Amino acid sequence: MQVVIMDVPSVPVSKGTALGHDVRFHYEQKNGTLILKWHEGEDHIPDSQVVGITQNPQRTGKSEVQSQLILRVIPSPSSSELNKSTFALRTLPVTSLPQDYLERHMVTSTPEHLLVTPNGDGSPNLHVIVSIRSGIGEAQQYFNDVLSEALAAIDLDRNAYNVHLTESDKSVVEITEKIILPRANQGIEQTIVLLSGDGGIVDIVNVLLSASQSDKYVKPTIGLICMGTGNALANSVGLNRDATRGLSSIFRGSPLNIPTFTVRFSSGSVFLTDEGRRTESLPLQSGCGIVHGVVVCSWALHASLVADSDTAEYRKFGAQRFQMAAKELMAPEDGSAPHVYNGKITLYKADEKGQEFSEEIPDTKTSYIVATMVSNFEENLRISPASTPLDGQLRVLRFGDIPGADVMRLIGMALRGGGHEKDDMAQYAAINGLRIQFEESDSRWRRVCVDGKIIRVEEGGWMEVRRSHKDVVNLVV
């Protein structure tokens, strides 16, 4: 028998120090892991925990040795609350790291978007908004134990930024109206580090798009720390791909424009708040209700499950609440079949020359429909596989009058990465917009979801969603 001996490429080893002790570093790029070998054993630092590497002047005797500081976020399950995590920032002083590891994680200087010039009176234009009740309530602890410490590591102490703790679901709107918008219109550069879910960004976008912009208007920049339930935008652009919840992108990313869409509603439409017990008026424009979004506008099953699961009891379960609500909608307690929603749907598309045309869907019965500009609604729920980060293209996914088992089968395919969009029971296409004329007598089936906000349309009412071409804010990615 012939034995073939193959050369196996070795992982480069570099000698350095960590915590003042001699170590050998191995960086396994394929696995994304830095291995530190000590006399006592070895430690592993996964890339997914690394915020960045900063310079760390360290005095050794009479000489000054230039070393680095590895900043990493360590998440751990909460000992007291279901589905909740606690976070800690760990710093490790090191020297002589492998070059490829440095190139991947090095923060050579404080990012420009965090170095916004303060006002003449010294008040900062770097804002940190902590959405206390986002998701399952992890934002406050993350700010206290991770974000503030990480900012201090790049020489941004508490005097360098304003901290805004939300007190209600109106707080982000009020901060944007009173501070962010007026300064943007004065031509003042601002950055907002937002510890929130998609809802926080949507609140900011709605205020900025609903107001007039001056000739001096400067788009604020948002650095998002993912603290929501679904985190659709963050999952779609890659902010939530690691354990830092987006902090690594704030340290090592760059600002890009966030594309938006606008939804117009018939005049009798209202917001549903307080778990559906209260209503609020929509902002009006030319007699129509106006709501802006960045993630999704939906009706039918998707809107119903978001609305039904938006309660204090459901929110304890994090992203699982959506699946729980979906199962109840698809298998009603009385044993009846799941509801099929009635309404006339018109799609607005563009031909090869870019000319718009309308296409009315002949079937008025719909099980599921979303118009979205993102790929993922949750980390593993890839609802629009053709969407790429911040591409600004609206796409529609619709299931008609099909059995509940097939609806769940298609959603299951989306949870496994896709394929549902090619199924014969699904309709999936790029669109300029869509319009729905509702034909439901029960108000429960006339609820629309725009980025987690629930709008109830009046009987006989309508809604229309279009891509907005007025860009007002950037996102660090």
Side-chain angles (χ1 to χ4, degrees):
M1 181 179 69
Q2 183 177 8
V3 177
V4 178
I5 301 175
M6 301 179 65
D7 290 331
V8 179
S10 60
V11 178
V13 178
S14 63
K15 295 180 179 180
T17 64
L19 292 172
H21 301 283
D22 292 336
V23 296
R24 287 181 296 162
F25 296 110
H26 301 249
Y27 182 42
E28 297 185 350
Q29 289 196 49
K30 185 176 181 180
N31 300 325
T33 303
L34 179 69
I35 301 174
L36 295 75
K37 293 198 173 183
W38 316 67
H39 287 301
E40 298 83 1
E42 64 180 44
D43 291 320
H44 292 211
I45 300 178
D47 283 351
S48 61
Q49 294 180 352
V50 178
V51 174
I53 301 169
T54 64
Q55 295 293 354
N56 178 43
Q58 177 181 322
R59 188 170 294 278
T60 304
K62 295 182 179 181
S63 64
E64 187 173 271
V65 177
Q66 189 68 43
S67 68
Q68 291 88 34
L69 201 64
I70 300 177
L71 308 179
R72 59 191 290 215
V73 174
I74 311 294
S76 58
S78 171
S79 59
S80 59
E81 297 187 52
L82 179 68
N83 295 318
K84 200 169 185 177
S85 295
T86 57
F87 303 87
L89 185 75
R90 296 284 182 262
T91 58
L92 180 66
V94 293
T95 62
S96 304
L97 286 166
Q99 186 60 34
D100 51 354
Y101 189 73
L102 283 171
E103 290 173 357
R104 190 181 193 100
H105 298 294
M106 192 70 200
V107 180
T108 55
S109 60
T110 303
E112 288 186 14
H113 51 267
L114 295 178
L115 288 176
V116 286
T117 305
N119 296 315
D121 62 2
S123 57
N125 285 307
L126 175 59
H127 306 276
V128 176
I129 300 178
V130 184
S131 183
I132 303 295
R133 291 188 284 185
S134 280
I136 53 177
E138 298 168 323
Q140 176 80 74
Q141 188 268 325
Y142 189 99
F143 169 73
N144 291 339
D145 296 342
V146 177
L147 179 59
S148 61
E149 298 295 325
L151 293 176
I154 53 173
D155 297 324
L156 292 173
D157 61 25
R158 290 293 288 268
N159 295 319
Y161 53 90
N162 274 329
V163 180
H164 310 269
L165 304 180
T166 62
E167 298 176 352
S168 73
D169 58 2
K170 302 293 185 187
S171 293
V172 176
V173 169
E174 292 168 355
I175 294 165
T176 308
E177 288 176 339
K178 294 177 181 178
I179 301 174
I180 307 301
L181 175 60
R183 293 185 187 181
N185 273 331
Q186 293 169 29
I188 297 173
E189 184 180 354
Q190 301 171 92
T191 293
I192 307 157
V193 179
L194 180 64
L195 290 84
S196 172
D198 296 323
I201 288 186
V202 173
D203 284 341
I204 294 171
V205 164
N206 269 276
V207 172
L208 299 179
L209 278 174
S210 298
S212 298
Q213 284 83 46
S214 72
D215 293 338
K216 295 181 179 180
Y217 183 86
V218 173
K219 290 193 293 183
T221 292
I222 296 175
L224 181 63
I225 304 292
C226 316
M227 290 289 151
T229 303
N231 297 305
L233 179 62
N235 282 313
S236 296
V237 301
L239 298 183
N240 207 24
R241 65 181 175 272
D242 60 33
T244 74
R245 295 289 185 98
L247 186 55
S248 61
S249 294
I250 292 175
F251 271 52
R252 292 181 270 142
S254 301
L256 294 175
N257 178 64
I258 302 178
T260 61
F261 58 81
T262 298
V263 192
R264 297 168 62 241
F265 290 91
S266 49
S267 58
S269 303
V270 292
F271 282 122
L272 294 180
T273 62
D274 190 22
E275 301 184 4
R277 291 185 287 262
R278 294 190 301 165
T279 63
E280 294 180 7
S281 300
L282 302 184
L284 294 177
Q285 190 178 95
S286 302
C288 299
I290 297 290
V291 181
H292 306 283
V294 298
V295 173
V296 61
C297 175
S298 70
W299 176 48
L301 175 62
H302 182 269
S304 293
L305 69 87
V306 173
D308 289 353
S309 68
D310 190 19
T311 67
E313 186 61 32
Y314 265 120
R315 281 187 172 275
K316 295 177 183 177
F317 297 96
Q320 295 177 30
R321 69 185 175 101
F322 299 125
Q323 295 184 38
M324 294 166 66
K327 288 178 180 178
E328 292 181 11
L329 285 162
M330 299 308 294
E333 289 183 357
D334 62 5
S336 62
H339 185 74
V340 179
Y341 301 72
N342 289 281
K344 293 180 181 178
I345 300 173
T346 302
L347 305 180
Y348 303 111
K349 297 182 175 181
D351 61 22
E352 294 179 353
K353 297 181 180 180
Q355 297 298 309
E356 185 173 283
F357 66 95
S358 61
E359 176 184 296
E360 188 169 312
I361 296 175
D363 180 12
T364 62
K365 295 184 180 297
T366 296
S367 298
Y368 183 99
I369 184 168
V370 297
T372 184
M373 290 201 295
V374 303
S375 60
N376 288 53
F377 286 176
E378 300 172 21
E379 182 177 2
N380 298 314
L381 181 56
R382 192 167 181 79
I383 206 73
S384 178
S387 296
T388 57
L390 306 177
D391 65 6
Q393 176 63 62
L394 267 175
R395 289 180 169 83
V396 63
L397 176 68
R398 173 183 175 270
F399 311 150
D401 184 5
I402 63 175
D406 284 308
V407 172
M408 298 309 289
R409 176 180 63 83
L410 292 170
I411 296 298
M413 293 172 72
L415 282 165
R416 293 188 295 274
H420 59 289
E421 77 282 6
K422 300 175 183 177
D423 194 281
D424 291 341
M425 290 186 172
Q427 182 178 9
Y428 180 63
I431 57 172
N432 290 349
L434 66 80
R435 181 184 177 94
I436 301 175
Q437 182 72 45
F438 296 93
E439 297 181 345
E440 288 282 359
S441 58
D442 188 335
S443 63
R444 186 185 180 195
W445 313 125
R446 285 185 266 111
R447 293 176 298 178
V448 172
C449 171
V450 179
D451 289 3
K453 297 184 183 299
I454 304 302
I455 298 93
R456 187 184 67 204
V457 180
E458 78 273 26
E459 189 170 358
W462 54 269
M463 59 141 282
E464 183 173 299
V465 57
R466 293 271 188 170
R467 164 76 162 95
S468 174
H469 294 285
K470 191 176 176 183
D471 300 322
V472 293
V473 71
N474 291 326
L475 179 68
V476 181
V477 295

